[in-house]
């Protein structure tokens, strides 16, 4: 029996498939708005838009903090645009530290793949929650709260973090305070830190003013 | 008494009315993002942007499934863009079937206008919910779950479906599995269907690989 | 070959199926919150929670407005709770009127099933959009804007409305102004209506003060 | 000790800072969508995008209603685009009235800075909530409901209103009904107002039809 | 003419008004969930649930920071629960400081009512935005970013802040770091602050460990 | 100098810290609603509510599919409730298969930790996206679309998946169709599968009807 399948599919549904928005791969060169980047035309989307290999290798941890954060946010991994999820790779040398920071736009879940990590966060009531996480352990950091991860063990460590947004943001406390031109007097007035401390950290982190 | 009303209205509020966004009629030719299409300029919007007549006539049901889905999603009915709602018309000949499918982006409410329809869905715990719906009956299908509608009566049937999104998407199981180039081996490995069954349906639905 | 399927399913996934929240059928007797009603225990949910027959019959249109609105919101149809969608049936005798009103919490899409309806809305820039809709025509009314439907033809009419919320709310202008104890002076000061007009409508609609 | 800080910062994170979307200052000349306006390029954003001085002075209250609303919505204050918040200044002469109105897209919180204001709203069940607010008092008006503010005291009054959206919309009942070309017959049929009343207010508010 | 108005209203709509959820005044003693507190029964809600007088008086500024934050969040002002908006009063003596802090769950708009305030925030790219705001000036602080307000003038100052959530949270940097039992070593490792500095501030702010 | 810090903190802010909702650890025994479970009282929350060790060990892969999914959704890991994120561990023996399935309520990002996985999804336009992912590769699966993962290599594989919801749901196609009491005739009518195929799979997967 001849089955006119083209006939079936064209009649069952309108043919405007090109407009279906199951996803919205970011077109980083187009306008963007509060909900994210504009979408690539569906006809030009391929599987490679949904796959990202940039987390396969360790970030460079030969630095002051002996650690590295490698993001797979929408700017690096356009396939997650609009989908409310993204990732990052965290590499720690011995003694490595991801300094105190917040993600203004997302909660984070971290899973330890190798080594051990001491991680914690502080809530709005100033209560501290921290624990040493071993391989396979998971910890969640609620949105917008100060948190940190340090490797206090004798081995390197590796973890992956997931975020509840394609664009979680990342505000590292020391860079925010000491890595820009915020006048020292304003820093001191609003943090109660001593002038010498502020100037010492500005010297390290490139701050002026 | 002369009442300077233009004076009143210009003073009461700023005059930037053109920028008010009570609605966002889709400009299908402009960039679109995760939240939907760009908006037509308000000054060019007319009542006809908010009215759609494409559901007035039956879809063509002279096909394999003896049924037709006629969508009024944002691509067909630009007035619903951004408003979190859309519609579709479902026509059934005797024996008509809307095959097992999901809407990845919306819940659905269906109302039977004429005839009777047996409709059902399956939840994540694999529990089945199905019932024969008569004229005037309403059934809700929660977002993303497999569901179906069939006309098992001796009369044609008509229903309208509403969706909780202007762009609910529609993934019909058989088209998804057998109407493309997904390799038969992958289908078989991931669905446990027999090779002969997969190839038979690929032949009907135009699949390759 | 014996296939230990119970073994398969218990190992493939944790057994805590009872907690999966594909849906949230309203338990109207339990606490409710900003996102809707508490959910019935999944184990007690049946297909009848997802089916509603209350729209099958016409509302009583032997009244002043010669029309009736029959809602299938979460309070009447608990299966839509949390799913962002609901329905209502609109019946019109000849000359029937759904008076000027708003839905504070949802956009609406209306489809005409029988007869003709003149429907319209007014936007924040005071621009009016109205049109006579015939059988099968659809019109969308953006969230929160004043709108109305009247039957100006020589035949009864029937329409169904869908809403982008399980709890759209409904504020009918005349009931809001004249059907309660809002002091006439406050009404007059804030609407510029004449005292006689206010008192006449209060008498009709049961208002005091 | 030389501290290679540029090295630190470039290794710690990818350098694609320009794409971080902590905020989305509106580019009013670019396309806009359901979630708001397109964002200015981050490199061009300055502190002045986040500061607005347009609420410093009283609106002109030498008008019919002896009151003025001065908005700081996204169209006036592009820095709030996408942030879910905006403001307005409300000035009242003695006897000043902000007429019955709704915000289709936001809830409002009002704080009295000077004088006293009688404010109220009406809910979907037609229940009225109103009270005289003194200096420092706050009142909240839930989204989409009819509300009003009047100055019934012997002194001018000043208040600020905040909204739960950058684009709350504003539909003033009298302008919506009588300040456009909505046919008088339709107004009368859907509001039960008398023809003379409708025509009187149309004459005042510039309506035709 | 006798008009059976009770008849009208009972037929026009179902009578289940008590279940309409135009608002959700918090019942602070009932369970709460991710979207906020449970709602008080509508029948028990009065206008006083929507009015709050706790911002009328200055907070006590006879303290170390010579400033006070008085919140009108959902816990203090149950009427805003679920409405996506809240307020706070900021009082500043001469030299008063609202120390560096974040709101994890909301953007903020601040309006200066009296005096002048120097306010600023820092974004994820470490760029600083700060300015002196005079009476009537407004500034917006995007969600989750570090910000501060100081009174550097010779006069007291007063401002009101609005938030895009009924529960914005408030994490004050110094309390988060030095006002709890977070071990000094962890603080030092993750902030690069000197041990002496950490211990000095812990002594002031009550920290241990 | 004596510094009355308790005085400072009590005056700076209201003391109702216990009500701050930075997070909402699920109380699985309390009512739950559309936005998730009720929250544990903040005073009883400890760091252990935010840490989960259930993903540290492999699931049992001695089963038909030679693979295991171990979820860390809100029902297993109450700390993620309300935070829009969750995780799962995927273990694959040689030849292991995560069968064709959807997550009705979330997008997924998968990262390969060990071995190689061939993964793919199908969109609403029936276009297939699949690729072999190696160690460190990431792939995103948009919400609600059919997808699968198989291990076609000669080594076991391990991956972690993150979801954009604390309760993503999981509908496995074969369990949904063949692991319950959905009548075979309805399955056949709505999937076009042969009766023999349906009955063969029902026998394997425990279906009846």
């Amino acid at each position: 029996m001849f089955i006119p399948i083209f006939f079936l599919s064209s009649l069952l549904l309108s043919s405007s498939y090109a407009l279906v928005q199951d996803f919205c791969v970011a077109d980083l060169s187009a306008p963007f708005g509060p909900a994210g980047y504009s979408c690539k035309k569906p006809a030009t989307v391929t599987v490679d838009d949904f796959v990202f290999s940039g987390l396969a290798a360790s970030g460079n941890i030969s630095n002051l903090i002996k650690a590295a954060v490698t993001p797979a946010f929408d700017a690096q991994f356009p396939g997650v645009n609009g989908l409310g999820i993204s990732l990052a790779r965290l590499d720690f040398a011995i003694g490595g530290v991801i300094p105190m920071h917040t993600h203004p736009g997302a909660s984070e879940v971290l899973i330890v793949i190798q080594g051990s990590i001491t991680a914690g966060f502080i809530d709005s009531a100033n209560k501290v929650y921290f624990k040493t996480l071993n391989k396979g352990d998971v910890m969640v950091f609620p949105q917008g709260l100060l948190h940190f991860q340090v490797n206090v063990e004798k081995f390197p460590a590796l973890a992956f973090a997931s975020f509840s947004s394609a664009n979680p943001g990342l505000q590292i406390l020391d860079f925010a305070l000491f890595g820009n031109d915020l006048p020292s007097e304003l820093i001191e007035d609003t943090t109660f830190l001593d002038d010498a401390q502020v100037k010492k950290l500005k010297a390290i982190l490139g701050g002026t003013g």
Side-chain angles (χ1 to χ4, degrees), chain A residues 177 181-192 198 202 209:
Chain A
L177 294 180
D181 58 358
L182 182 60
S184 297
E185 191 179 350
L186 274 177
I187 301 174
E188 293 157 23
D189 283 352
T190 60
T191 64
F192 312 140
V198 169
K202 280 200 168 185

Side-chain angles (χ1 to χ4, degrees), chain A residues 55-61 68 70 89 91-92 158:
Chain A
L55 301 190
S58 173
N60 187 331
I61 55 178
T70 308
R89 174 185 177 124
D91 291 286
F92 301 81
L158 170 64

Side-chain angles (χ1 to χ4, degrees), chain A residues 43-59:
Chain A
T44 68
V45 172
T46 71
V47 67
D48 292 324
D49 288 303
F50 300 110
V51 175
F52 182 66
S53 294
L55 301 190
S58 173

Side-chain angles (χ1 to χ4, degrees), chain A residues 109-130:
Chain A
V109 173
L110 174 147
I111 183 159
V112 178
I113 301 300
Q114 178 189 321
S116 293
I117 294 168
T118 297
F121 71 88
I122 307 155
D123 74 13
S124 284
N126 304 319
K127 189 170 164 186
V128 181
Y129 305 83
F130 76 98

Side-chain angles (χ1 to χ4, degrees), chain A residues 150-175:
Chain A
V150 300
N151 178 6
V152 296
E153 303 299 319
K154 304 255 157 88
F155 313 93
L158 170 64
F160 288 99
S162 310
F163 301 92
S164 64
S165 164
N167 198 312
L170 168 53
Q171 182 163 57
I172 300 174
L173 179 57
D174 273 64
F175 287 109

Side-chain angles (χ1 to χ4, degrees), chain A residues 78-92:
Chain A
V80 296
N81 183 49
L83 297 183
I85 190 114
S86 60
L87 285 177
R89 174 185 177 124
L90 309 183
D91 291 286
F92 301 81

